[in-house]
Amino acid sequence: MVDIKENVIKKKKISLKSILKNFIKYYKENLKVKHIVCFIIMVIIFALSLNLFYTNLNNQEAKEIITESVKGVPFISSLGEKIFLAFLIIFAGFTPYLYISVIGLFCGYSLANNIIINYILNGSTTSFVFMIIGGVIQLIGFSLCVATGINYCRISTKRRKFSSNTTYGLNDIKSTFYNLKNDKEGMKKVEESNRKKFEEKKKYNVKVPYLTFIVSFIISIIFVLVGMVI
């Protein structure tokens, strides 16, 4: 009985190790470059937004409005909102062609806004520095979501191309014509042309790596959580 339990535990460990190994491989091949580019763009937006908000801190009227109207959001509620946002960014890639996930690049603007609001309410320079560091760490997670969403959209687009029915085309006209003439040589050429087109179309028959996307989502949330704690 003990041996059976040990074997089950070993299988689970191997399975988890295998999942992570597959994710790392997939990340390097499909997500790494996208992740880096998205992170750089998001950091630039974050820095520009932070600078813009910070330079307007001398506006006493704006400070009073923020202080009176803004209430602290509970940590769990804020985390829940960000988890939901991360989920939306990734699985917006379900829609082919549109690349809706790129909207997530503007998370940096929202983070910068929240940091300035907290700085106005708390007034601590030390906390301000830590919030900036935490914001950058969160951007690592959100940029991974955007990269994953973009990759998901690329796959969805390929699958749509594969599954779409081709309209009545030139080969169909040729086929009908050669049929009427009983031209076997012509029919053979049309069939060969159709075969080549189908072979080309087969490259769009790709699988959606849902498990990999789930792992990407979990890793993103870990970065967001760490950034929020800081």
Side-chain angles (χ1 to χ4, degrees), residues 51-158:
N51 181 62
L52 176 66
F53 293 139
Y54 190 79
T55 52
N56 290 326
L57 281 180
N58 292 328
N59 190 329
Q60 187 62 35
E61 186 179 346
K63 287 172 68 175
E64 287 176 2
I65 291 171
I66 290 171
T67 305
E68 289 176 7
S69 62
V70 176
K71 295 180 180 179
V73 179
F75 180 84
I76 296 298
S77 298
S78 181
L79 178 62
E81 288 173 5
K82 289 181 180 181
I83 289 173
F84 184 64
L85 177 61
F87 176 84
L88 284 181
I89 291 171
I90 291 177
F91 289 97
F94 174 79
T95 308
Y97 299 106
L98 297 180
Y99 293 95
I100 299 172
S101 298
V102 295
I103 295 173
L105 292 172
F106 293 96
C107 285
Y109 177 87
S110 176
L111 280 174
N113 185 47
N114 290 336
I115 286 171
I116 290 298
I117 287 172
N118 280 305
Y119 176 61
I120 291 172
L121 294 175
N122 299 322
S124 171
T125 305
T126 305
S127 297
F128 183 59
V129 173
F130 276 106
M131 281 189 288
I132 292 173
I133 295 170
V136 172
I137 293 172
Q138 288 185 61
L139 290 181
I140 296 173
F142 282 121
S143 57
L144 179 56
C145 289
V146 176
T148 306
I150 290 171
N151 188 61
Y152 188 8
C153 185
R154 183 181 62 84
I155 292 171
S156 298
T157 302
K158 284 185 176 182

Side-chain angles (χ1 to χ4, degrees), residues 206-221:
V206 291
K207 292 181 179 179
V208 180
Y210 290 110
L211 183 58
T212 303
F213 290 168
I214 291 169
V215 174
S216 186
F217 170 71
I218 293 169
I219 292 172
S220 299
I221 295 306

